[in-house]
Amino acid sequence: MVDKELNWGWQDAEVFLPTISVIITTWRRPEQLRLSLEAWKRQIYPAHEIIVTEDDEPQEATIELLKSYSFAYMAHGRTLDEVGEGIWDQAETINRGVAASSGNVLQIIQEDIIVPPDFLYWLASTIAPSSIIFPLI
């Protein structure tokens, strides 16, 4: 007889998984962002969120693109008038994503990086306690 306490299914194990906030920085490159989001959509690791930050005032093309990806959202920052200089630096862009995140772990990446479907699974398995089992589906 199998002890139900030890026979975790994927949904049961999710309680023990660290939540990963993926912060994607972009700058007026909606096509590269679309390709990146397609890769993030295929992640097998369930406990993650996708946050997109733009190095400039959010572009209409980026906002429209994100409407078709319900799992991702834009971390809004200051307007160009509030910044005064026009373009934010990379650190401020990342900081906006960090402020909007809710995960235990942060993965900061640019929009031109395409990740394999098990990227977050392997990231989580390197930082989670060794007693946690991460079944591949």
Side-chain angles (χ1 to χ4, degrees):
M1 183 168 164
V2 176
D3 184 353
K4 289 188 178 188
E5 298 274 332
L6 299 176
N7 188 19
W8 295 340
W10 182 251
Q11 295 303 322
D12 296 331
E14 190 173 342
V15 174
F16 303 102
L17 302 177
T19 302
I20 301 174
S21 294
V22 177
I23 300 168
I24 304 173
T25 62
T26 186
W27 189 72
R28 299 181 182 187
R29 293 171 38 163
E31 182 55 27
Q32 285 83 359
L33 179 59
R34 184 189 66 73
L35 294 172
S36 180
L37 289 172
E38 284 296 318
W40 288 109
K41 184 168 70 173
R42 292 188 289 275
Q43 289 300 300
I44 61 171
Y45 186 79
H48 70 280
E49 66 179 347
I50 305 294
I51 302 164
V52 176
T53 61
E54 188 120 37
D55 286 354
D56 196 348
E57 182 177 5
Q59 301 297 303
E60 188 63 34
T62 303
I63 293 168
E64 287 301 313
L65 176 67
L66 286 176
K67 287 180 182 177
S68 60
Y69 292 94
S70 61
F71 63 88
Y73 62 92
M74 175 74 77
H76 293 289
R78 299 180 291 174
T79 65
L80 288 177
D81 293 336
E82 292 171 316
V83 174
E85 298 172 8
I87 297 178
W88 298 305
D89 63 17
Q90 185 74 9
E92 184 169 350
T93 301
I94 292 169
N95 286 340
R96 283 188 286 120
V98 170
S101 69
S102 63
N104 310 85
V105 177
L106 299 177
Q107 172 63 52
I108 300 165
I109 199 161
Q110 292 183 323
E111 84 280 315
D112 57 353
I113 305 296
I114 307 299
V115 295
D118 59 354
F119 180 83
L120 292 178
Y121 165 81
W122 289 109
L123 174 64
S125 69
T126 62
I127 55 179
S130 60
S131 61
I132 297 177
I133 299 170
F134 294 93
L136 285 174
I137 301 176

